[in-house]
Amino acid sequence: YVCSTWGNHHFKTFDGDIYQYPGVCEYNFVSDCRETYKEFSVHIQRALNSNGHPEIQYILVKIKDITIYLKPNLAVVEGRIVKTPYYASGVLIESNEIYIKIYAKLGMVLMWNQQDALMVELDNKFNNYTCGLCGDYNGIQIYNEFINGDVSYNSITYGNMQKISKPNAKCEDPDETRALPSCNEHRDECQRLLTSAAFADCRLRLNLEMYIQACMQDKCACNGTDDSFCLCSTISEYSRQCSHAGGRPGEWRTENFC
């Protein structure tokens, strides 16, 4: 019951689809989309950092009537900067050097590494009730996210539909007609990294192929530059998701790798 985004514009929906969407506007990441009282919403704003890598600049969370604004090393609740751990009205905010986490009593946990990677876990009482980049959480892959009646969307059309319209925001939608380049190289390297001994406990817990594909996309996008961001972000995500699924990844980082 986890939706996440990481690295080079990768997204994984609650229903398990992995896609890429390179938008740098503010988007609905996941919201309760029932017509009547909406219990929560999570918006994200991405931008490219000085190295040209996508990072999440801020996250805007509404839980019932509380508004929480997160930036790296900063939590603002209802317009006031708060110290963590912070607890009020069924919401707990915690942070350490790397992660900032929100636990909401209504059934949501949000975890952000204050850089590129965000993970939201939702109680299954929200099945079929969500919308946004995380999809509709109906347990069926692709259906209703990228196929709606007779119309099928590519991931860019789908992502553009999740933009939050802000009157003075200057930000262009990615071009829907230009599909993201497909990538068929680097499989051996990605497979070797993701099936190393450190990840032995992860094999049966996650869909390995999806992470291999994401890793291949990263390698192709980096075009041979020996850039740790290319490889490390997807391997870090695989490691995080493995821990989240109850696995125990071993020590895979080394002095000269990630």
Side-chain angles (χ1 to χ4, degrees):
Y1 308 131
V2 173
C3 168
S4 60
T5 179
W6 74 93
N8 194 17
H9 305 290
H10 296 290
F11 290 85
K12 174 183 159 292
T13 68
F14 286 114
D15 298 332
D17 294 303
I18 285 190
Y19 65 97
Q20 274 183 299
Y21 174 66
V24 286
C25 306
E26 184 179 307
Y27 299 95
N28 172 14
F29 186 63
V30 57
S31 299
D32 176 1
C33 285
R34 286 173 283 192
E35 289 306 308
T36 46
Y37 182 66
K38 295 177 172 34
E39 293 203 40
F40 71 90
S41 66
V42 178
H43 293 178
I44 61 171
Q45 165 81 49
R46 259 208 173 78
L48 300 180
N49 67 15
S50 53
N51 301 324
H53 298 147
E55 284 193 348
I56 297 170
Q57 283 192 305
Y58 65 79
I59 300 173
L60 192 59
V61 184
K62 276 193 98 150
I63 295 169
K64 308 260 182 168
D65 301 319
I66 300 177
T67 302
I68 303 166
Y69 176 75
L70 303 178
K71 286 187 80 154
N73 304 314
L74 182 70
V76 178
V77 178
E78 292 295 307
R80 290 203 338 272
I81 295 178
V82 298
K83 279 201 169 73
T84 58
Y86 169 88
Y87 183 78
S89 339
V91 175
L92 169 65
I93 306 175
E94 289 183 341
S95 62
N96 61 23
E97 298 79 75
I98 303 174
Y99 290 100
I100 186 156
K101 295 185 183 182
I102 298 179
Y103 300 88
K105 206 151 137 200
L106 57 76
M108 179 178 88
V109 180
L110 176 150
M111 182 166 112
W112 176 35
N113 72 350
Q114 310 196 60
Q115 293 175 357
D116 65 305
L118 168 67
M119 189 191 292
V120 172
E121 181 179 11
L122 267 192
D123 192 288
N124 57 13
K125 71 178 183 194
F126 293 108
N127 279 142
N128 241 339
Y129 291 146
T130 67
C131 60
L133 292 166
C134 287
D136 61 1
Y137 196 13
N138 67 354
I140 310 167
Q141 282 192 306
I142 292 185
Y143 186 70
N144 286 7
E145 278 87 40
F146 303 109
I147 298 172
N148 197 338
D150 302 336
V151 193
S152 72
Y153 303 123
N154 68 24
S155 65
I156 300 200
T157 314
Y158 181 70
N160 289 347
M161 289 159 60
Q162 316 306 326
K163 183 161 97 172
I164 306 297
S165 56
K166 296 158 81 183
N168 49 5
K170 298 257 187 301
C171 107
E172 293 295 309
D173 284 338
D175 181 354
E176 298 171 15
T177 57
R178 291 181 49 212
L180 290 160
S182 65
C183 174
N184 304 311
E185 310 158 57
H186 309 293
R187 168 174 283 278
D188 293 350
E189 182 182 4
C190 288
Q191 192 156 345
R192 182 176 57 73
L193 289 165
L194 289 161
T195 55
S196 71
F199 295 126
D201 197 22
C202 306
R203 285 295 291 273
L204 300 173
R205 298 174 193 273
L206 301 174
N207 178 337
L208 176 65
E209 179 60 27
M210 295 199 300
Y211 294 95
I212 291 176
Q213 291 290 337
C215 167
M216 287 162 64
Q217 295 281 358
D218 292 350
K219 284 292 288 179
C220 280
C222 276
N223 239 339
T225 51
D226 187 22
D227 184 339
S228 68
F229 179 83
C230 296
L231 276 180
C232 300
S233 57
T234 288
I235 296 172
S236 304
E237 177 67 9
Y238 186 68
S239 179
R240 272 191 293 270
Q241 293 283 352
C242 174
S243 310
H244 198 82
R248 306 192 86 139
E251 194 46 73
W252 56 274
R253 296 175 186 276
T254 64
E255 277 297 303
N256 35 21
F257 183 70
C258 298

